[in-house]
Amino acid sequence: MVSEDNRSLARYLRDATQGSPTVTKYWDDAHVCDVDIMIIKNVPAGGVSTYASLALSDAKTGLTSGGKALGVEILLALATECAEGANMIATCAFSIKKGEITPLPGVVIPRALELYGEGRKMKHAMLISPFLWNLETQSFSAKSVAWLQVLPISDAERDYALANGPEALEDLFEDRQIDVFDIDRPSAL
């Protein structure tokens, strides 16, 4: 049963992206953990799809904001031709739901993407403040919900972020003008 808060989040995201979403439930390999994924084609640009978690914000993160539990929803934008986008965002969501990582900007989810495409250089997922969508933290009676964007990164980029901080890696990406929609882009390092 989907809560009214989570319905409100889905409507907010639909309206913010001005897209026509579909929602599908994804399960982990053990069929124990599930997450709903919203898929919005041609958003934020033609030929790009947005994949977003729904109800992930119900998972306990240990974070608070204004005296309320702080949950997160995560988003990923990839070229629509990449068929694994929904699976990638689901794998990242499972890492959060299972308490393997604390969902904060700059946190890297190690090896979350390497399952999807043999030989692919983008193997890890770094959580960042969303820059592709204008999304605000949502506040409900029992929780606040923040949004984080998933940015695929390579081994070398992960190492750089760990050594120099995630902001330095984001600055490098901006300097090099990487294609954030291309899961098969060359590593910036």
Side-chain angles (χ1 to χ4, degrees), residues 146-170:
W147 304 89
L148 291 173
Q149 182 175 339
V150 171
L151 187 62
I153 61 173
S154 68
D155 286 335
E157 292 164 350
R158 177 206 55 202
D159 294 346
Y160 185 84
L162 292 173
N164 302 288
E167 297 85 8
L169 181 60
E170 288 184 61

Side-chain angles (χ1 to χ4, degrees), residues 11-57:
R11 286 189 298 269
Y12 173 75
L13 187 57
R14 179 201 63 209
D15 293 347
T17 62
Q18 299 179 353
S20 298
T22 59
V23 178
T24 304
K25 185 174 294 296
Y26 284 77
W27 292 88
D28 66 356
D29 289 338
H31 219 68
V32 172
C33 193
D34 68 271
V35 64
D36 290 332
I37 302 297
M38 179 184 277
I39 303 167
I40 312 165
K41 295 193 177 191
N42 294 316
V43 169
V48 175
S49 291
T50 294
Y51 305 91
S53 65
L54 289 175
L56 175 61
S57 57

Side-chain angles (χ1 to χ4, degrees), residues 2 25 32 50 58 62 69 102 110 130 139:
V2 178
K25 185 174 294 296
V32 172
T50 294
D58 290 340
T102 300
S139 184

Side-chain angles (χ1 to χ4, degrees), residues 101 104 106-111 124-127 153 157-158 161-162 166 169:
I101 62 125
L104 295 167
V107 168
V108 173
I109 305 172
R111 306 177 70 166
H124 314 283
M126 186 168 80
L127 301 176
I153 61 173
E157 292 164 350
R158 177 206 55 202
L162 292 173
L169 181 60

Side-chain angles (χ1 to χ4, degrees), residues 73-120:
E73 299 294 347
I74 55 176
L75 306 102
L76 170 68
L78 289 177
T80 301
E81 66 195 31
C82 177
E84 303 93 352
N87 286 320
M88 290 176 179
I89 198 79
T91 297
C92 293
F94 295 145
S95 290
I96 294 168
K97 280 187 96 166
K98 294 175 182 180
E100 296 170 357
I101 62 125
T102 300
L104 295 167
V107 168
V108 173
I109 305 172
R111 306 177 70 166
L113 309 180
E114 77 178 349
L115 304 167
Y116 307 104
E118 189 159 334
R120 182 169 278 151

